[in-house]
């Protein structure tokens, strides 16, 4: 099975500042998909951003962007201009190109300080 | 994005009773749905993969006779916790995959007294 590692159990950021959440993964596949999901206190899992491994360009969604380093098997999430509503658990996830299973990291709890 | 509806959001039951949780894909057909269990401040633990028209595939350590999964249509999967006990109390989440993305229901908090 693939493994996804999030080495930061907790992070905090000042409102309006930038924070980067780390994620590494292990795979022998060359084509796959990487995701960041957000789980706020409501516990609804929300897709934040997706990166296809065959694309060299880093994905961006408004204030959220990723730094995808395929050789290093690293996939970090950058949140710019942090807002109070960004406070949540963030999960990194992997999906291979074949099969349908998603693998999740252990999560990073993000606190936004007013 | 695609919408996955999960009901009920919260259920309290007595030990020994059975509880059914429904998961519906509202605007797309889902041949495969996933059921997860999540403990407080922990990640999602995959319990089983639900395939429309066939038997579910359970992860190692998950009792298939306790957690009955039925995926009778392309838009509905159900998880029935049979003879629930306090140790079954947890947050259960369903999800469905479309276009290589995973969309989640809002979860069900099960409390067994």
């Amino acid at each position: 099975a693939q493994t996804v590692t999030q080495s930061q159990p907790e992070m905090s950021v000042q409102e309006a500042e930038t924070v980067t959440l780390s994620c590494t993964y292990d795979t022998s596949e060359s084509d796959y998909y990487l995701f960041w999901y957000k789980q706020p206190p409501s516990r609804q899992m929300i897709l934040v951003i997706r990166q296809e491994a065959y694309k060299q360009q880093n994905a961006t969604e408004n204030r959220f962007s990723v730094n995808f380093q395929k050789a290093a098997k690293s996939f970090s999430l950058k949140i710019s201009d942090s807002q109070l509503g960004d406070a949540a658990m963030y999960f990194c996830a992997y999906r291979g190109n074949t099969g349908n299973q998603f693998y999740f990291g252990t999560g990073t709890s993000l606190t936004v300080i007013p | 994005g695609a919408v996955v509806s999960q009901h009920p959001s919260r259920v309290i039951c007595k030990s020994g009773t059975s509880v059914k949780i429904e998961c519906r894909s509202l605007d797309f057909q889902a041949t495969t749905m996933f059921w997860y269990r999540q403990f407080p401040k922990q990640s999602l633990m995959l319990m089983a993969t639900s395939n429309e028209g066939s038997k579910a595939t359970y992860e190692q350590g998950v009792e298939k006779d306790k957690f009955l999964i039925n995926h009778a249509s392309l838009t509905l999967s159900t998880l029935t916790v049979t003879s629930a006990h306090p140790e079954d109390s947890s947050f259960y989440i369903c999800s469905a995959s479309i276009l290589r993305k995973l969309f989640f229901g809002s979860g069900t908090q099960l409390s067994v007294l």
Side-chain angles (χ1 to χ4, degrees), chain A residues 24-60:
Chain A
T24 58
Y25 57 94
D26 185 28
T27 183
S28 58
E29 297 179 279
S30 59
D31 201 11
Y32 47 87
Y33 300 83
L34 296 165
F35 307 82
W36 279 98
Y37 281 88
K38 170 185 177 181
Q39 188 179 39
S42 67
R43 295 193 287 186
Q44 171 72 60
M45 292 283 286
I46 302 165
L47 175 62
V48 175
I49 200 164
R50 181 180 82 161
Q51 174 79 42
E52 293 97 330
Y54 65 85
K55 290 187 177 179
Q56 291 188 337
Q57 187 172 5
N58 289 323
T60 299

Side-chain angles (χ1 to χ4, degrees), chain B residues 10-70:
Chain B
R10 183 178 298 273
V11 59
I12 301 172
C13 69
K14 292 182 179 179
S15 185
T17 60
S18 294
V19 173
K20 180 185 283 188
I21 303 170
E22 290 191 349
C23 181
R24 294 180 184 273
S25 57
L26 297 187
D27 50 1
F28 66 101
Q29 293 182 330
T31 55
T32 303
M33 290 185 175
F34 303 92
W35 287 94
Y36 296 88
R37 185 172 179 174
Q38 186 179 34
F39 293 102
K41 298 187 185 296
Q42 293 190 22
S43 189
L44 284 70
M45 182 185 77
L46 181 64
M47 299 175 63
T49 301
S50 166
N51 300 296
E52 187 268 336
S54 63
K55 291 183 178 181
T57 302
Y58 290 82
E59 295 299 303
Q60 191 172 8
V62 178
E63 299 177 58
K64 57 184 68 176
D65 293 332
K66 166 164 278 297
F67 299 100
L68 298 178
I69 291 173
N70 187 329

Side-chain angles (χ1 to χ4, degrees), chain A residues 2-114:
Chain A
Q2 320 303 337
T3 56
V4 179
T5 302
Q6 292 180 252
S7 59
Q8 306 157 316
E10 297 178 346
M11 290 282 285
S12 62
V13 62
Q14 206 78 31
E15 193 176 4
E17 295 297 312
T18 297
V19 64
T20 299
L21 308 184
S22 301
C23 173
T24 58
Y25 57 94
D26 185 28
T27 183
S28 58
E29 297 179 279
S30 59
D31 201 11
Y32 47 87
Y33 300 83
L34 296 165
F35 307 82
W36 279 98
Y37 281 88
K38 170 185 177 181
Q39 188 179 39
S42 67
R43 295 193 287 186
Q44 171 72 60
M45 292 283 286
I46 302 165
L47 175 62
V48 175
I49 200 164
R50 181 180 82 161
Q51 174 79 42
E52 293 97 330
Y54 65 85
K55 290 187 177 179
Q56 291 188 337
Q57 187 172 5
N58 289 323
T60 299
E61 289 287 344
N62 301 314
R63 297 183 295 108
F64 299 87
S65 62
V66 299
N67 184 1
F68 173 48
Q69 301 289 328
K70 191 172 184 179
K73 296 180 182 175
S74 170
F75 182 60
S76 60
L77 174 70
K78 185 172 81 170
I79 306 174
S80 304
D81 185 24
S82 297
Q83 300 175 0
L84 295 177
D86 295 333
M89 279 288 286
Y90 286 82
F91 293 99
C92 179
Y94 169 100
R95 180 197 187 277
N97 192 39
T98 57
N100 210 4
Q101 190 160 341
F102 288 70
Y103 299 88
F104 287 87
T106 51
T108 296
S109 178
L110 178 66
T111 300
V112 180
I113 303 167

